[in-house]
Amino acid sequence: MNTEKADLLQAKQIILIGATGRNSGKTTLALRIIDEYKDKMPIIAFKLITVHDKGDICPRGGKGCGICKGLKECFDITEEVGEGTKDTMLLKKAGARHVYLIRAFKENIREALEEALKLVPKDTLVICESNSARLVAEPACFIMIESSTSSSIKPSAQAVLEYADFTLKQEEDSFANFAKVHLHQIINKCM
């Protein structure tokens, strides 16, 4: 995909969080940002899942969690309304006003993001977890978390690694330092 600036969706209200591996702290960092700013401005969270196959094959191998199954259109957007321990539920519980799970085929990510952004009021910060969104959008900031649990880099991360504005190690001190030193500037850029 072409990542020339003119071709990208300009999404300056989005802080995009990606990671080199699974379970690397994307949601942990998102929760920290929400907690820090929920009383200062409205925040909406997106969790974007890229579906790679129209069949029942899990891109992660094995049986999978089932989240990729059942995508009937090019994309869908579902608002989280439940309570529990899924990432989307944690984002809602932390103080995001709305949380949307976006599932899209790779070729429909831009279209899905454009549609999701229609749900976002003006002057609202969006925290989005996704690597693949960076292929189609220019956010205010793209943060890449280096996984400490996996030595290999996911293909979706490899494709966008060079566009990261910040690369953080998967550790609480790294997240805390980022929030303390850089977050305020980034939030100002978003609004």
Side-chain angles (χ1 to χ4, degrees):
M1 280 190 189
N2 189 349
T3 53
E4 292 297 320
K5 194 170 186 156
D7 295 339
L8 296 176
L9 172 65
Q10 296 302 300
K12 295 303 181 185
Q13 74 276 42
I14 292 180
I15 294 177
L16 185 61
I17 304 171
T20 60
R22 293 187 66 214
N23 302 317
S24 297
K26 293 185 303 290
T27 301
T28 301
L29 181 58
L31 293 172
R32 179 179 276 282
I33 295 168
I34 291 167
D35 186 57
E36 181 79 25
Y37 282 90
K38 69 183 175 195
D39 296 328
K40 299 175 179 111
M41 66 185 60
I43 300 173
I44 290 179
F46 295 164
K47 185 158 184 91
L48 193 148
I49 306 293
T50 303
V51 179
H52 298 277
D53 193 319
K54 295 182 181 182
D56 290 335
I57 300 168
C58 179
R60 297 181 174 130
K63 188 175 179 184
C65 66
I67 200 159
C68 296
K69 284 186 175 184
L71 184 59
K72 308 239 184 290
E73 304 294 326
C74 299
F75 67 88
D76 63 23
I77 302 169
T78 307
E79 183 169 6
E80 181 59 72
V81 294
E83 294 182 15
T85 58
K86 291 189 325 188
D87 289 352
T88 52
M89 295 172 181
L90 294 174
L91 295 166
K92 180 78 173 153
K93 185 178 179 182
R97 295 201 178 165
H98 300 278
V99 178
Y100 297 99
L101 175 65
I102 305 166
R103 298 183 310 160
F105 291 115
K106 189 173 183 176
E107 60 272 14
N108 302 105
I109 294 171
R110 181 185 176 118
E111 181 183 0
L113 270 177
E114 287 173 336
E115 201 60 34
L117 286 170
K118 290 177 184 177
L119 302 169
V120 177
K122 188 176 182 345
D123 297 325
T124 299
L125 176 65
V126 177
I127 308 295
C128 180
E129 293 182 31
S130 173
N131 285 332
S132 299
R134 186 58 184 90
L135 292 170
V136 300
E138 177 80 35
C141 179
F142 177 44
I143 304 158
M144 179 63 72
I145 300 171
E146 289 180 344
S147 176
S148 64
T149 58
S150 175
S151 59
S152 63
I153 298 176
K154 295 189 311 186
S156 64
Q158 190 67 53
V160 296
L161 202 52
E162 68 182 290
Y163 304 112
D165 297 301
F166 296 93
T167 302
L168 306 179
K169 297 213 176 293
Q170 181 186 350
E171 54 191 40
E172 190 56 37
D173 287 348
S174 180
F175 294 174
N177 186 54
F178 171 78
K180 185 177 168 184
V181 176
H182 300 288
L183 196 52
H184 184 70
Q185 290 174 298
I186 293 165
I187 298 291
N188 285 340
K189 196 167 134 180
C190 293
M191 306 316 274

